[in-house]
């Protein structure tokens, strides 16, 4: 953890999505016992590295396993993810790197006074 940003790297991930999800989930249950999930919007970057040809494996299955493992620990629900980037690359080792960071809250802009007055008159 670096402030509100989570950086996670899993070396030598299994190709079995169910086992991969269980490993990440187990890690979070042990290492983040007191973590309080955020209700803010998040962006998540999942980088998948495979030795040699990066063409094997389904990026959507790995991303789903990662997001499921982060749900309830980093954020309350997957619907809070507003931006998701998943990429697959050739690398020296099999690994998955994840960065999850809250998006900045958009500024609250009050409607013009004329609009507020009209709403009150209609009520």
């Amino acid at each position: 953890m670096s402030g509100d940003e989570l950086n996670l790297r899993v070396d030598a991930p299994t190709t079995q999505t169910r086992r991969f999800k269980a490993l990440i989930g187990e890690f979070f249950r042990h290492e983040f016992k007191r973590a309080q999930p955020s209700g803010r919007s998040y962006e998540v970057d999942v980088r998948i590295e495979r030795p040699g040809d990066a063409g094997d494996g389904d990026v959507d299955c790995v991303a789903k396993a990662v997001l499921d493992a982060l749900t309830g620990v980093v954020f309350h629900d997957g619907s809070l993810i507003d931006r998701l980037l998943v990429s697959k690359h050739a690398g020296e080792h099999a690994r998955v790197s994840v960065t999850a960071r809250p998006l900045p809250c958009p500024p609250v802009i009050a409607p013009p006074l004329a609009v507020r007055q009209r709403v009150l008159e209609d009520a």
Side-chain angles (χ1 to χ4, degrees):
M1 294 294 291
S2 174
D4 286 341
E5 181 176 293
L6 167 77
N7 293 291
L8 170 70
R9 188 180 85 194
V10 181
D11 290 327
T14 177
T15 58
Q16 297 175 344
T17 305
R18 183 176 295 158
R19 179 70 181 133
F20 181 64
K21 178 180 170 182
L23 288 171
I24 295 176
E26 185 176 323
F27 168 77
F28 278 109
R29 281 191 297 280
H30 285 57
E31 298 298 323
F32 290 83
K33 291 179 183 176
R34 295 188 182 102
Q36 295 295 320
S38 171
R40 296 173 61 185
S41 295
Y42 269 79
E43 70 176 347
V44 179
D45 182 358
V46 180
R47 180 181 169 95
I48 304 163
E49 294 181 39
R50 299 271 188 221
D53 181 17
D56 62 338
D58 292 341
V59 296
D60 59 324
C61 294
V62 174
K64 178 77 169 127
V66 168
L67 297 177
D68 286 349
L70 297 180
T71 300
V73 178
V74 176
F75 37 78
H76 283 290
D77 186 74
S79 66
L80 294 172
I81 300 169
D82 285 346
R83 187 175 304 145
L84 175 62
L85 173 64
V86 184
S87 57
K88 185 168 38 173
H89 308 272
E92 291 184 29
H93 305 283
R95 77 173 41 127
V96 175
S97 301
V98 180
T99 301
R101 68 180 67 84
L103 291 169
C105 296
V108 177
I109 301 171
L113 184 57
V115 172
R116 284 185 280 177
Q117 288 175 340
R118 188 173 57 238
V119 170
L120 291 174
E121 290 170 1
D122 291 342

